[in-house]
Amino acid sequence: MSVRRLSPNQPASFAFSAATLKQAKAWMATFPAGKQQSAVVPVLWLVQKQEGWICEPAIRAVAELLGMP
């Protein structure tokens, strides 16, 4: 089994575009109250669609949006 690591070349920050944030909140709204963390995969997909890849600052932004550690 291979181990995947984050690229050592990371941007300094990440910001959701208005459209991506709107779509992320729409995905979050499809889950029952308190279960918004279940939207993690669709939201990460939206980030990848926006940026072309998922960088560490984006992972942290998604975690913050969803209230995840």
Side-chain angles (χ1 to χ4, degrees):
M1 177 170 30
S2 64
V3 176
R4 295 186 181 235
R5 297 189 188 337
L6 291 173
S7 170
N9 302 321
Q10 296 289 324
S13 64
F14 168 81
F16 288 101
S17 69
T20 300
L21 186 58
K22 181 179 178 182
Q23 289 177 313
K25 289 185 177 183
W27 271 106
M28 291 167 63
T30 64
F31 294 96
K35 300 291 184 182
Q36 288 76 24
Q37 293 177 352
S38 299
V40 67
V41 171
V43 174
L44 286 170
W45 176 77
L46 292 170
V47 169
Q48 183 174 2
K49 187 176 173 184
Q50 174 184 314
E51 297 294 313
W53 69 305
I54 302 173
C55 61
E56 184 176 6
I59 293 169
R60 295 182 187 284
V62 169
E64 184 177 331
L65 177 69
L66 299 175
M68 300 174 78

